Amino acid sequence: MIELAIDTTMMVLMASLIPALIRVIKGPSLPDRVIALDVAASIVVAIILVHSIRSGSLYYLTAATVVALVAFLGTVALALYIRRGGAS
Amino acid sequence: MSEAQLKRSPFSLRILRSIGFIFFFLKELLISSVRVAVDVIKPTIVFQPGVIAFPLRASSDMEITLLANVISLTPGTLSLDVSEDRKTLYIHAMYAADPEAVREEIREGLEKRLLEAVR
Amino acid sequence: MREVLICFFLLFGAAMTLVAAIGCLRLPDLYTRMHAATKSGTVGIMGIVIAMMIHVGDASVGFRGILVILFFLLTAPVAAHMIGRAAYRSGVPLCGKTCVDEWRKQELDSEE
């Protein structure tokens, strides 16, 4: 039963990357793209965590933390860049 | 001891209220995510978003930061900016047809509980 | 019982993440999209971390999992706040359904 749930979760997460990436391509303004990238990063974190459950290796938890941290720093840096009037 | 420290409520009371606040916050977070899900799945757009000015009672940096974070994670509201004089918080709300009702809800629910827990 | 809990949290987290992604694509303007991204995204991650904590059932993983949840609870609103402020100041429009904008109103008042 757990195997099935893990597989379903993995497929749903993979599928939810698609709308986020469509928004990255379409997004009329830079902030739209940044938010969509943020969502994509959190989906990647979720995928890493699910993979960690499946493989039983706990080191992936640290990797997920690092990905989340880098995504947050990227979002903050891009927010400061937008505020200074870049990209317009 | 400064006057502000003397006026604070006793430590044990603050701890109890903080724990109560954490559970209240988790409940609100669950409700908010489910509500967003309903909004997203509905075939037509029914919400009326708007930007609302909220007069702050919280004064110190920590109180304002906590309140802004908690507002962002509770149903239908998202904090956008604090004004220069730190008296007003600008909030983006999903259902802003009645701004006064949104202000009342935050003031009586979240802000009151948060200030009770911190002060 | 434990298996049922794990499955429930996993599927709940996946559903919330899916809602965040679809909302990101479907909602009409940047600010409503941020609603979907912050709230549902955070709850989705929380669900999957809780499933992992139950599955492993180990104190060290438990503490690190709580740390990851706290990290997301702190950073998601901060990121949304910074993006929202920068976007509003640089003039990203609100969608046509918007019924009230008190920020713009107060700025106009103070200019007069």
Side-chain angles (χ1 to χ4, degrees), chain A residues 5 9 16 22-23 32 34-35 39 42-43 49 52 58 61-62 69 72 79 83, chain C residues 7 14 17-18 21 24-25 30 33-34 37 45 49 52 61 64 75 83 85-86 89:
Chain A
T9 309
S16 57
I22 292 176
R23 180 50 74 188
D32 286 303
V34 177
I35 283 292
V39 172
S42 72
I43 295 171
L49 288 173
S52 157
L58 301 180
L61 188 53
T62 319
L69 184 63
F72 171 64
R83 209 174 153 197
Chain C
C7 294
T17 319
L18 184 63
C24 208
L25 181 63
L30 171 73
R33 268 176 226 146
M34 283 196 314
I45 293 280
V49 173
M52 184 182 179
V61 174
R64 270 192 283 168
T75 57
I83 292 284
R85 184 171 59 178
R89 293 238 170 110

PDB file of all heavy atoms in Angstrom, chain A residues 5 9 16 22-23 32 34-35 39 42-43 49 52 58 61-62 69 72 79 83, chain C residues 7 14 17-18 21 24-25 30 33-34 37 45 49 52 61 64 75 83 85-86 89:
ATOM      1  N   ALA A   5       1.192   4.394  -2.724  1.00  0.00           N
ATOM      2  CA  ALA A   5       1.044   5.801  -2.352  1.00  0.00           C
ATOM      3  C   ALA A   5       2.271   6.598  -2.771  1.00  0.00           C
ATOM      4  O   ALA A   5       2.160   7.712  -3.282  1.00  0.00           O
ATOM      5  CB  ALA A   5       0.822   5.917  -0.843  1.00  0.00           C
ATOM      6  N   THR A   9       2.248   9.675  -5.351  1.00  0.00           N
ATOM      7  CA  THR A   9       2.764  10.974  -4.943  1.00  0.00           C
ATOM      8  C   THR A   9       3.823  11.466  -5.915  1.00  0.00           C
ATOM      9  O   THR A   9       3.819  12.621  -6.338  1.00  0.00           O
ATOM     10  CB  THR A   9       3.360  10.868  -3.535  1.00  0.00           C
ATOM     11  OG1 THR A   9       2.418  10.250  -2.685  1.00  0.00           O
ATOM     12  CG2 THR A   9       3.695  12.227  -3.000  1.00  0.00           C
ATOM     13  N   SER A  16       2.860  18.186 -11.357  1.00  0.00           N
ATOM     14  CA  SER A  16       2.659  19.575 -10.941  1.00  0.00           C
ATOM     15  C   SER A  16       3.839  20.464 -11.291  1.00  0.00           C
ATOM     16  O   SER A  16       3.737  21.679 -11.190  1.00  0.00           O
ATOM     17  CB  SER A  16       2.350  19.650  -9.451  1.00  0.00           C
ATOM     18  OG  SER A  16       3.372  19.046  -8.719  1.00  0.00           O
ATOM     19  N   ILE A  22       5.172  26.122 -17.099  1.00  0.00           N
ATOM     20  CA  ILE A  22       4.446  26.892 -18.115  1.00  0.00           C
ATOM     21  C   ILE A  22       4.344  28.349 -17.682  1.00  0.00           C
ATOM     22  O   ILE A  22       4.515  29.264 -18.491  1.00  0.00           O
ATOM     23  CB  ILE A  22       3.041  26.304 -18.347  1.00  0.00           C
ATOM     24  CG1 ILE A  22       3.152  24.930 -19.005  1.00  0.00           C
ATOM     25  CG2 ILE A  22       2.207  27.213 -19.236  1.00  0.00           C
ATOM     26  CD1 ILE A  22       1.822  24.253 -19.183  1.00  0.00           C
ATOM     27  N   ARG A  23       4.097  28.570 -16.376  1.00  0.00           N
ATOM     28  CA  ARG A  23       4.005  29.942 -15.889  1.00  0.00           C
ATOM     29  C   ARG A  23       5.355  30.639 -15.980  1.00  0.00           C
ATOM     30  O   ARG A  23       5.430  31.832 -16.277  1.00  0.00           O
ATOM     31  CB  ARG A  23       3.469  29.949 -14.456  1.00  0.00           C
ATOM     32  CG  ARG A  23       3.323  31.293 -13.819  1.00  0.00           C
ATOM     33  CD  ARG A  23       2.594  32.292 -14.664  1.00  0.00           C
ATOM     34  NE  ARG A  23       1.170  32.048 -14.726  1.00  0.00           N
ATOM     35  CZ  ARG A  23       0.365  32.713 -15.532  1.00  0.00           C
ATOM     36  NH1 ARG A  23       0.829  33.670 -16.318  1.00  0.00           N
ATOM     37  NH2 ARG A  23      -0.910  32.433 -15.568  1.00  0.00           N
ATOM     38  N   ASP A  32       6.210  37.408 -11.719  1.00  0.00           N
ATOM     39  CA  ASP A  32       5.462  36.178 -11.985  1.00  0.00           C
ATOM     40  C   ASP A  32       6.402  34.999 -12.138  1.00  0.00           C
ATOM     41  O   ASP A  32       6.173  33.922 -11.577  1.00  0.00           O
ATOM     42  CB  ASP A  32       4.659  36.329 -13.276  1.00  0.00           C
ATOM     43  CG  ASP A  32       3.460  37.218 -13.101  1.00  0.00           C
ATOM     44  OD1 ASP A  32       2.652  36.902 -12.226  1.00  0.00           O
ATOM     45  OD2 ASP A  32       3.358  38.208 -13.829  1.00  0.00           O
ATOM     46  N   VAL A  34       9.436  34.726 -10.995  1.00  0.00           N
ATOM     47  CA  VAL A  34      10.136  34.410  -9.747  1.00  0.00           C
ATOM     48  C   VAL A  34       9.248  33.553  -8.843  1.00  0.00           C
ATOM     49  O   VAL A  34       9.693  32.552  -8.274  1.00  0.00           O
ATOM     50  CB  VAL A  34      10.550  35.712  -9.019  1.00  0.00           C
ATOM     51  CG1 VAL A  34      11.208  35.385  -7.704  1.00  0.00           C
ATOM     52  CG2 VAL A  34      11.487  36.506  -9.880  1.00  0.00           C
ATOM     53  N   ILE A  35       7.950  33.947  -8.731  1.00  0.00           N
ATOM     54  CA  ILE A  35       7.028  33.167  -7.891  1.00  0.00           C
ATOM     55  C   ILE A  35       6.893  31.747  -8.436  1.00  0.00           C
ATOM     56  O   ILE A  35       6.926  30.766  -7.688  1.00  0.00           O
ATOM     57  CB  ILE A  35       5.665  33.874  -7.840  1.00  0.00           C
ATOM     58  CG1 ILE A  35       5.735  35.065  -6.892  1.00  0.00           C
ATOM     59  CG2 ILE A  35       4.588  32.921  -7.357  1.00  0.00           C
ATOM     60  CD1 ILE A  35       5.898  34.694  -5.462  1.00  0.00           C
ATOM     61  N   VAL A  39       7.727  28.142  -6.595  1.00  0.00           N
ATOM     62  CA  VAL A  39       6.869  26.962  -6.495  1.00  0.00           C
ATOM     63  C   VAL A  39       7.588  25.743  -7.054  1.00  0.00           C
ATOM     64  O   VAL A  39       7.564  24.661  -6.444  1.00  0.00           O
ATOM     65  CB  VAL A  39       5.541  27.206  -7.245  1.00  0.00           C
ATOM     66  CG1 VAL A  39       4.738  25.924  -7.307  1.00  0.00           C
ATOM     67  CG2 VAL A  39       4.748  28.276  -6.548  1.00  0.00           C
ATOM     68  N   SER A  42       9.992  24.409  -4.558  1.00  0.00           N
ATOM     69  CA  SER A  42       9.407  23.661  -3.438  1.00  0.00           C
ATOM     70  C   SER A  42       8.914  22.294  -3.912  1.00  0.00           C
ATOM     71  O   SER A  42       8.944  21.335  -3.139  1.00  0.00           O
ATOM     72  CB  SER A  42       8.298  24.467  -2.758  1.00  0.00           C
ATOM     73  OG  SER A  42       7.166  24.530  -3.560  1.00  0.00           O
ATOM     74  N   ILE A  43       8.489  22.200  -5.191  1.00  0.00           N
ATOM     75  CA  ILE A  43       8.120  20.877  -5.703  1.00  0.00           C
ATOM     76  C   ILE A  43       9.351  19.975  -5.765  1.00  0.00           C
ATOM     77  O   ILE A  43       9.278  18.783  -5.433  1.00  0.00           O
ATOM     78  CB  ILE A  43       7.475  21.009  -7.097  1.00  0.00           C
ATOM     79  CG1 ILE A  43       6.157  21.764  -6.995  1.00  0.00           C
ATOM     80  CG2 ILE A  43       7.215  19.638  -7.698  1.00  0.00           C
ATOM     81  CD1 ILE A  43       5.580  22.117  -8.320  1.00  0.00           C
ATOM     82  N   LEU A  49      12.315  14.675  -0.985  1.00  0.00           N
ATOM     83  CA  LEU A  49      11.874  14.031   0.257  1.00  0.00           C
ATOM     84  C   LEU A  49      11.197  12.697  -0.031  1.00  0.00           C
ATOM     85  O   LEU A  49      11.428  11.703   0.666  1.00  0.00           O
ATOM     86  CB  LEU A  49      10.924  14.962   1.008  1.00  0.00           C
ATOM     87  CG  LEU A  49      11.591  16.173   1.655  1.00  0.00           C
ATOM     88  CD1 LEU A  49      10.550  17.108   2.223  1.00  0.00           C
ATOM     89  CD2 LEU A  49      12.526  15.728   2.749  1.00  0.00           C
ATOM     90  N   SER A  52      13.641  10.179  -0.769  1.00  0.00           N
ATOM     91  CA  SER A  52      14.312   9.757   0.460  1.00  0.00           C
ATOM     92  C   SER A  52      13.493   8.697   1.192  1.00  0.00           C
ATOM     93  O   SER A  52      14.043   7.725   1.713  1.00  0.00           O
ATOM     94  CB  SER A  52      14.530  10.979   1.345  1.00  0.00           C
ATOM     95  OG  SER A  52      14.660  10.614   2.668  1.00  0.00           O
ATOM     96  N   LEU A  58      18.682   8.592   4.615  1.00  0.00           N
ATOM     97  CA  LEU A  58      18.246   9.805   5.306  1.00  0.00           C
ATOM     98  C   LEU A  58      19.045  11.044   4.909  1.00  0.00           C
ATOM     99  O   LEU A  58      18.685  12.144   5.278  1.00  0.00           O
ATOM    100  CB  LEU A  58      18.345   9.588   6.814  1.00  0.00           C
ATOM    101  CG  LEU A  58      17.491   8.418   7.298  1.00  0.00           C
ATOM    102  CD1 LEU A  58      17.631   8.250   8.789  1.00  0.00           C
ATOM    103  CD2 LEU A  58      16.043   8.663   6.934  1.00  0.00           C
ATOM    104  N   LEU A  61      17.504  14.279   3.305  1.00  0.00           N
ATOM    105  CA  LEU A  61      16.839  15.335   4.056  1.00  0.00           C
ATOM    106  C   LEU A  61      17.705  16.585   4.098  1.00  0.00           C
ATOM    107  O   LEU A  61      17.226  17.707   3.911  1.00  0.00           O
ATOM    108  CB  LEU A  61      16.516  14.835   5.465  1.00  0.00           C
ATOM    109  CG  LEU A  61      15.650  15.736   6.329  1.00  0.00           C
ATOM    110  CD1 LEU A  61      14.385  16.091   5.612  1.00  0.00           C
ATOM    111  CD2 LEU A  61      15.314  15.043   7.623  1.00  0.00           C
ATOM    112  N   THR A  62      19.028  16.386   4.299  1.00  0.00           N
ATOM    113  CA  THR A  62      19.951  17.508   4.296  1.00  0.00           C
ATOM    114  C   THR A  62      19.982  18.176   2.922  1.00  0.00           C
ATOM    115  O   THR A  62      19.981  19.405   2.817  1.00  0.00           O
ATOM    116  CB  THR A  62      21.352  17.023   4.679  1.00  0.00           C
ATOM    117  OG1 THR A  62      21.220  16.080   5.732  1.00  0.00           O
ATOM    118  CG2 THR A  62      22.214  18.166   5.123  1.00  0.00           C
ATOM    119  N   LEU A  69      17.045  26.297   0.950  1.00  0.00           N
ATOM    120  CA  LEU A  69      17.801  27.495   1.324  1.00  0.00           C
ATOM    121  C   LEU A  69      18.230  28.274   0.096  1.00  0.00           C
ATOM    122  O   LEU A  69      18.074  29.500   0.017  1.00  0.00           O
ATOM    123  CB  LEU A  69      19.022  27.070   2.142  1.00  0.00           C
ATOM    124  CG  LEU A  69      19.890  28.192   2.694  1.00  0.00           C
ATOM    125  CD1 LEU A  69      19.075  29.016   3.648  1.00  0.00           C
ATOM    126  CD2 LEU A  69      21.091  27.629   3.389  1.00  0.00           C
ATOM    127  N   PHE A  72      15.330  30.064  -1.497  1.00  0.00           N
ATOM    128  CA  PHE A  72      14.935  31.263  -0.755  1.00  0.00           C
ATOM    129  C   PHE A  72      15.890  32.414  -1.041  1.00  0.00           C
ATOM    130  O   PHE A  72      15.475  33.548  -1.307  1.00  0.00           O
ATOM    131  CB  PHE A  72      14.902  30.948   0.736  1.00  0.00           C
ATOM    132  CG  PHE A  72      14.709  32.146   1.606  1.00  0.00           C
ATOM    133  CD1 PHE A  72      13.527  32.871   1.534  1.00  0.00           C
ATOM    134  CD2 PHE A  72      15.691  32.564   2.476  1.00  0.00           C
ATOM    135  CE1 PHE A  72      13.348  33.985   2.317  1.00  0.00           C
ATOM    136  CE2 PHE A  72      15.509  33.670   3.266  1.00  0.00           C
ATOM    137  CZ  PHE A  72      14.341  34.379   3.189  1.00  0.00           C
ATOM    138  N   ALA A  79      14.099  39.647  -5.709  1.00  0.00           N
ATOM    139  CA  ALA A  79      13.179  40.688  -5.231  1.00  0.00           C
ATOM    140  C   ALA A  79      13.917  42.011  -5.097  1.00  0.00           C
ATOM    141  O   ALA A  79      13.408  43.059  -5.530  1.00  0.00           O
ATOM    142  CB  ALA A  79      12.570  40.279  -3.893  1.00  0.00           C
ATOM    143  N   ARG A  83      13.282  45.490  -7.202  1.00  0.00           N
ATOM    144  CA  ARG A  83      13.011  46.740  -6.503  1.00  0.00           C
ATOM    145  C   ARG A  83      13.921  47.859  -6.988  1.00  0.00           C
ATOM    146  O   ARG A  83      13.537  49.021  -7.014  1.00  0.00           O
ATOM    147  CB  ARG A  83      13.237  46.509  -5.020  1.00  0.00           C
ATOM    148  CG  ARG A  83      12.370  47.400  -4.192  1.00  0.00           C
ATOM    149  CD  ARG A  83      12.508  47.046  -2.762  1.00  0.00           C
ATOM    150  NE  ARG A  83      12.226  48.203  -1.944  1.00  0.00           N
ATOM    151  CZ  ARG A  83      12.575  48.277  -0.682  1.00  0.00           C
ATOM    152  NH1 ARG A  83      13.236  47.286  -0.140  1.00  0.00           N
ATOM    153  NH2 ARG A  83      12.266  49.329   0.016  1.00  0.00           N
TER     154      ARG A  83
ATOM    155  N   CYS C   7       0.268   7.123   4.178  1.00  0.00           N
ATOM    156  CA  CYS C   7      -0.347   7.314   2.862  1.00  0.00           C
ATOM    157  C   CYS C   7      -1.166   8.593   2.840  1.00  0.00           C
ATOM    158  O   CYS C   7      -1.098   9.374   1.888  1.00  0.00           O
ATOM    159  CB  CYS C   7      -1.238   6.133   2.506  1.00  0.00           C
ATOM    160  SG  CYS C   7      -0.326   4.625   2.293  1.00  0.00           S
ATOM    161  N   ALA C  14       0.919  15.865  -1.631  1.00  0.00           N
ATOM    162  CA  ALA C  14       1.002  15.915  -3.094  1.00  0.00           C
ATOM    163  C   ALA C  14      -0.153  16.731  -3.661  1.00  0.00           C
ATOM    164  O   ALA C  14       0.033  17.563  -4.561  1.00  0.00           O
ATOM    165  CB  ALA C  14       0.976  14.502  -3.661  1.00  0.00           C
ATOM    166  N   THR C  17       0.503  20.443  -3.105  1.00  0.00           N
ATOM    167  CA  THR C  17       1.517  20.958  -4.019  1.00  0.00           C
ATOM    168  C   THR C  17       0.947  21.126  -5.419  1.00  0.00           C
ATOM    169  O   THR C  17       1.223  22.112  -6.105  1.00  0.00           O
ATOM    170  CB  THR C  17       2.719  20.000  -4.044  1.00  0.00           C
ATOM    171  OG1 THR C  17       2.983  19.569  -2.726  1.00  0.00           O
ATOM    172  CG2 THR C  17       3.936  20.687  -4.591  1.00  0.00           C
ATOM    173  N   LEU C  18       0.112  20.159  -5.836  1.00  0.00           N
ATOM    174  CA  LEU C  18      -0.525  20.265  -7.147  1.00  0.00           C
ATOM    175  C   LEU C  18      -1.415  21.507  -7.214  1.00  0.00           C
ATOM    176  O   LEU C  18      -1.410  22.246  -8.205  1.00  0.00           O
ATOM    177  CB  LEU C  18      -1.344  19.004  -7.418  1.00  0.00           C
ATOM    178  CG  LEU C  18      -1.994  18.902  -8.788  1.00  0.00           C
ATOM    179  CD1 LEU C  18      -0.935  18.862  -9.858  1.00  0.00           C
ATOM    180  CD2 LEU C  18      -2.872  17.676  -8.887  1.00  0.00           C
ATOM    181  N   ALA C  21       0.687  24.559  -7.742  1.00  0.00           N
ATOM    182  CA  ALA C  21       1.189  24.703  -9.112  1.00  0.00           C
ATOM    183  C   ALA C  21       0.074  25.114 -10.063  1.00  0.00           C
ATOM    184  O   ALA C  21       0.244  26.009 -10.900  1.00  0.00           O
ATOM    185  CB  ALA C  21       1.823  23.391  -9.562  1.00  0.00           C
ATOM    186  N   CYS C  24      -0.862  28.651  -9.534  1.00  0.00           N
ATOM    187  CA  CYS C  24       0.165  29.505 -10.116  1.00  0.00           C
ATOM    188  C   CYS C  24      -0.106  29.733 -11.597  1.00  0.00           C
ATOM    189  O   CYS C  24       0.175  30.792 -12.147  1.00  0.00           O
ATOM    190  CB  CYS C  24       1.498  28.807  -9.928  1.00  0.00           C
ATOM    191  SG  CYS C  24       2.854  29.877  -9.830  1.00  0.00           S
ATOM    192  N   LEU C  25      -0.650  28.728 -12.264  1.00  0.00           N
ATOM    193  CA  LEU C  25      -0.926  28.867 -13.694  1.00  0.00           C
ATOM    194  C   LEU C  25      -2.261  29.548 -13.941  1.00  0.00           C
ATOM    195  O   LEU C  25      -2.408  30.314 -14.886  1.00  0.00           O
ATOM    196  CB  LEU C  25      -0.937  27.477 -14.337  1.00  0.00           C
ATOM    197  CG  LEU C  25      -1.184  27.443 -15.841  1.00  0.00           C
ATOM    198  CD1 LEU C  25      -0.064  28.151 -16.551  1.00  0.00           C
ATOM    199  CD2 LEU C  25      -1.282  26.020 -16.336  1.00  0.00           C
ATOM    200  N   LEU C  30      -0.667  38.483 -10.338  1.00  0.00           N
ATOM    201  CA  LEU C  30       0.480  38.079  -9.516  1.00  0.00           C
ATOM    202  C   LEU C  30       0.106  37.889  -8.053  1.00  0.00           C
ATOM    203  O   LEU C  30       0.540  36.928  -7.422  1.00  0.00           O
ATOM    204  CB  LEU C  30       1.567  39.154  -9.642  1.00  0.00           C
ATOM    205  CG  LEU C  30       2.739  38.980  -8.684  1.00  0.00           C
ATOM    206  CD1 LEU C  30       3.593  37.834  -9.107  1.00  0.00           C
ATOM    207  CD2 LEU C  30       3.555  40.233  -8.597  1.00  0.00           C
ATOM    208  N   ARG C  33      -1.837  34.815  -7.321  1.00  0.00           N
ATOM    209  CA  ARG C  33      -0.951  33.655  -7.490  1.00  0.00           C
ATOM    210  C   ARG C  33      -0.067  33.460  -6.276  1.00  0.00           C
ATOM    211  O   ARG C  33       0.239  32.329  -5.883  1.00  0.00           O
ATOM    212  CB  ARG C  33      -0.057  33.891  -8.713  1.00  0.00           C
ATOM    213  CG  ARG C  33      -0.650  33.346  -9.964  1.00  0.00           C
ATOM    214  CD  ARG C  33       0.210  33.693 -11.131  1.00  0.00           C
ATOM    215  NE  ARG C  33      -0.607  34.187 -12.202  1.00  0.00           N
ATOM    216  CZ  ARG C  33      -0.256  35.116 -13.046  1.00  0.00           C
ATOM    217  NH1 ARG C  33       0.931  35.672 -12.962  1.00  0.00           N
ATOM    218  NH2 ARG C  33      -1.059  35.496 -13.989  1.00  0.00           N
ATOM    219  N   MET C  34       0.334  34.588  -5.646  1.00  0.00           N
ATOM    220  CA  MET C  34       1.168  34.447  -4.455  1.00  0.00           C
ATOM    221  C   MET C  34       0.405  33.788  -3.315  1.00  0.00           C
ATOM    222  O   MET C  34       0.994  33.056  -2.522  1.00  0.00           O
ATOM    223  CB  MET C  34       1.688  35.809  -4.025  1.00  0.00           C
ATOM    224  CG  MET C  34       2.818  36.273  -4.883  1.00  0.00           C
ATOM    225  SD  MET C  34       3.720  37.603  -4.156  1.00  0.00           S
ATOM    226  CE  MET C  34       2.443  38.658  -3.615  1.00  0.00           C
ATOM    227  N   ALA C  37       0.787  30.167  -3.989  1.00  0.00           N
ATOM    228  CA  ALA C  37       2.161  29.685  -3.841  1.00  0.00           C
ATOM    229  C   ALA C  37       2.561  29.585  -2.378  1.00  0.00           C
ATOM    230  O   ALA C  37       3.131  28.579  -1.964  1.00  0.00           O
ATOM    231  CB  ALA C  37       3.120  30.605  -4.587  1.00  0.00           C
ATOM    232  N   ILE C  45       4.522  20.866   1.519  1.00  0.00           N
ATOM    233  CA  ILE C  45       5.807  20.405   2.060  1.00  0.00           C
ATOM    234  C   ILE C  45       5.628  19.829   3.458  1.00  0.00           C
ATOM    235  O   ILE C  45       6.181  18.782   3.806  1.00  0.00           O
ATOM    236  CB  ILE C  45       6.813  21.570   2.102  1.00  0.00           C
ATOM    237  CG1 ILE C  45       7.183  22.000   0.693  1.00  0.00           C
ATOM    238  CG2 ILE C  45       8.047  21.179   2.868  1.00  0.00           C
ATOM    239  CD1 ILE C  45       8.195  21.142   0.047  1.00  0.00           C
ATOM    240  N   VAL C  49       6.809  16.123   4.746  1.00  0.00           N
ATOM    241  CA  VAL C  49       7.799  15.964   5.828  1.00  0.00           C
ATOM    242  C   VAL C  49       7.211  15.152   6.976  1.00  0.00           C
ATOM    243  O   VAL C  49       7.881  14.283   7.548  1.00  0.00           O
ATOM    244  CB  VAL C  49       8.286  17.348   6.322  1.00  0.00           C
ATOM    245  CG1 VAL C  49       9.162  17.182   7.542  1.00  0.00           C
ATOM    246  CG2 VAL C  49       9.059  18.045   5.241  1.00  0.00           C
ATOM    247  N   MET C  52       7.268  11.594   6.148  1.00  0.00           N
ATOM    248  CA  MET C  52       8.615  11.050   6.272  1.00  0.00           C
ATOM    249  C   MET C  52       8.962  10.790   7.738  1.00  0.00           C
ATOM    250  O   MET C  52       9.553   9.754   8.077  1.00  0.00           O
ATOM    251  CB  MET C  52       9.612  12.026   5.668  1.00  0.00           C
ATOM    252  CG  MET C  52      11.011  11.496   5.671  1.00  0.00           C
ATOM    253  SD  MET C  52      12.156  12.666   5.030  1.00  0.00           S
ATOM    254  CE  MET C  52      13.636  11.705   5.230  1.00  0.00           C
ATOM    255  N   VAL C  61      15.769  12.178  12.783  1.00  0.00           N
ATOM    256  CA  VAL C  61      15.010  12.591  11.615  1.00  0.00           C
ATOM    257  C   VAL C  61      13.840  13.473  12.031  1.00  0.00           C
ATOM    258  O   VAL C  61      13.498  14.441  11.356  1.00  0.00           O
ATOM    259  CB  VAL C  61      14.525  11.367  10.827  1.00  0.00           C
ATOM    260  CG1 VAL C  61      13.614  11.784   9.698  1.00  0.00           C
ATOM    261  CG2 VAL C  61      15.697  10.610  10.290  1.00  0.00           C
ATOM    262  N   ARG C  64      15.152  16.995  12.627  1.00  0.00           N
ATOM    263  CA  ARG C  64      15.498  17.671  11.371  1.00  0.00           C
ATOM    264  C   ARG C  64      14.249  17.991  10.566  1.00  0.00           C
ATOM    265  O   ARG C  64      14.171  19.028   9.923  1.00  0.00           O
ATOM    266  CB  ARG C  64      16.467  16.813  10.562  1.00  0.00           C
ATOM    267  CG  ARG C  64      17.905  17.142  10.904  1.00  0.00           C
ATOM    268  CD  ARG C  64      18.832  16.513   9.919  1.00  0.00           C
ATOM    269  NE  ARG C  64      18.974  15.075  10.185  1.00  0.00           N
ATOM    270  CZ  ARG C  64      19.539  14.233   9.336  1.00  0.00           C
ATOM    271  NH1 ARG C  64      20.026  14.680   8.203  1.00  0.00           N
ATOM    272  NH2 ARG C  64      19.635  12.952   9.623  1.00  0.00           N
ATOM    273  N   THR C  75      10.373  31.176   5.851  1.00  0.00           N
ATOM    274  CA  THR C  75      10.843  31.790   4.609  1.00  0.00           C
ATOM    275  C   THR C  75       9.739  32.039   3.594  1.00  0.00           C
ATOM    276  O   THR C  75       9.818  33.009   2.855  1.00  0.00           O
ATOM    277  CB  THR C  75      11.924  30.929   3.946  1.00  0.00           C
ATOM    278  OG1 THR C  75      11.384  29.633   3.716  1.00  0.00           O
ATOM    279  CG2 THR C  75      13.142  30.834   4.794  1.00  0.00           C
ATOM    280  N   ILE C  83       8.663  39.858  -2.674  1.00  0.00           N
ATOM    281  CA  ILE C  83       8.275  39.901  -4.084  1.00  0.00           C
ATOM    282  C   ILE C  83       7.056  40.804  -4.274  1.00  0.00           C
ATOM    283  O   ILE C  83       6.996  41.613  -5.213  1.00  0.00           O
ATOM    284  CB  ILE C  83       7.963  38.476  -4.590  1.00  0.00           C
ATOM    285  CG1 ILE C  83       9.223  37.640  -4.645  1.00  0.00           C
ATOM    286  CG2 ILE C  83       7.343  38.532  -5.968  1.00  0.00           C
ATOM    287  CD1 ILE C  83      10.109  37.959  -5.780  1.00  0.00           C
ATOM    288  N   ARG C  85       5.981  43.351  -2.452  1.00  0.00           N
ATOM    289  CA  ARG C  85       6.287  44.775  -2.316  1.00  0.00           C
ATOM    290  C   ARG C  85       7.026  45.290  -3.542  1.00  0.00           C
ATOM    291  O   ARG C  85       6.680  46.339  -4.095  1.00  0.00           O
ATOM    292  CB  ARG C  85       7.137  44.976  -1.060  1.00  0.00           C
ATOM    293  CG  ARG C  85       7.409  46.423  -0.791  1.00  0.00           C
ATOM    294  CD  ARG C  85       8.038  46.595   0.536  1.00  0.00           C
ATOM    295  NE  ARG C  85       9.279  45.857   0.627  1.00  0.00           N
ATOM    296  CZ  ARG C  85      10.067  45.851   1.680  1.00  0.00           C
ATOM    297  NH1 ARG C  85       9.700  46.524   2.742  1.00  0.00           N
ATOM    298  NH2 ARG C  85      11.184  45.182   1.708  1.00  0.00           N
ATOM    299  N   ALA C  86       8.048  44.534  -3.974  1.00  0.00           N
ATOM    300  CA  ALA C  86       8.823  44.974  -5.132  1.00  0.00           C
ATOM    301  C   ALA C  86       7.930  45.071  -6.361  1.00  0.00           C
ATOM    302  O   ALA C  86       8.006  46.035  -7.136  1.00  0.00           O
ATOM    303  CB  ALA C  86       9.974  44.002  -5.383  1.00  0.00           C
ATOM    304  N   ARG C  89       5.544  48.122  -6.122  1.00  0.00           N
ATOM    305  CA  ARG C  89       6.262  49.395  -6.326  1.00  0.00           C
ATOM    306  C   ARG C  89       6.687  49.564  -7.769  1.00  0.00           C
ATOM    307  O   ARG C  89       6.741  50.678  -8.279  1.00  0.00           O
ATOM    308  CB  ARG C  89       7.498  49.425  -5.428  1.00  0.00           C
ATOM    309  CG  ARG C  89       7.143  49.495  -3.966  1.00  0.00           C
ATOM    310  CD  ARG C  89       7.747  50.717  -3.331  1.00  0.00           C
ATOM    311  NE  ARG C  89       7.204  50.894  -1.990  1.00  0.00           N
ATOM    312  CZ  ARG C  89       7.921  50.713  -0.899  1.00  0.00           C
ATOM    313  NH1 ARG C  89       9.175  50.368  -0.995  1.00  0.00           N
ATOM    314  NH2 ARG C  89       7.384  50.899   0.280  1.00  0.00           N
TER     315      ARG C  89
END
